[in-house]
Amino acid sequence: AAILDTGTNVLLLPTDTLQAVQGPICTGSIADKCTELFDGKCMPLTDDEIQAFPALELSLDNNVTLHMSSYDYLLTGSPQAASQDDVCLGLRDGGSAGGSGFIIGDTTMRNYYLVFDLEEKKIGWGPVNRDVCGNI
């Protein structure tokens, strides 16, 4: 189970999941900088370096897959950064927060419309159409 939290600007993952994700992300020419980002450091990155990070997919129940580009999880303007231009990792260790350690924040939700069906206790996800709605 996951918590959806519009007040959280990062994606919190259970500890073991975050560790499993780090290996496939931190490969090739970005490995050293990627490891530093996972260690909590923020740093300047070029557009080419950001684009070298892979896209991520979150597979949820009922065949729902959420997509995140590297621009979604590599965040600029973070209060943790020493400079406004520094990039920080928007994936964090959720430990056991909320019971599961899995909290979906703005880094993921900003690309989707969410519909809450309280009667049926369901949540619907639909991708934002940037051609019609503009960029977020």
Side-chain angles (χ1 to χ4, degrees), residues 40-104:
K41 296 179 184 171
C42 302
M43 67 190 69
L45 294 176
T46 67
D47 278 339
D48 287 343
E49 288 172 322
I50 292 172
Q51 291 172 11
F53 283 80
L56 300 178
E57 292 185 346
L58 301 174
S59 297
L60 306 178
D61 290 343
N62 298 320
N63 296 317
V64 173
T65 302
L66 305 178
H67 303 274
M68 295 175 66
S69 75
S70 55
Y71 286 97
D72 294 324
Y73 66 86
L74 295 173
L75 310 176
T76 56
S78 170
Q80 291 184 322
S83 165
Q84 186 81 3
D85 295 329
D86 282 355
V87 174
C88 302
L89 184 65
L91 308 173
R92 301 267 166 61
D93 187 346
S96 60
S100 70
F102 190 29
I103 299 178
I104 299 173

Side-chain angles (χ1 to χ4, degrees), residues 64 66 109-115 123-129:
V64 173
L66 305 178
M109 287 192 289
R110 66 176 146 198
N111 294 311
Y112 295 91
Y113 292 110
L114 279 81
V115 178
I123 299 171
W125 297 80
V128 170
N129 182 336

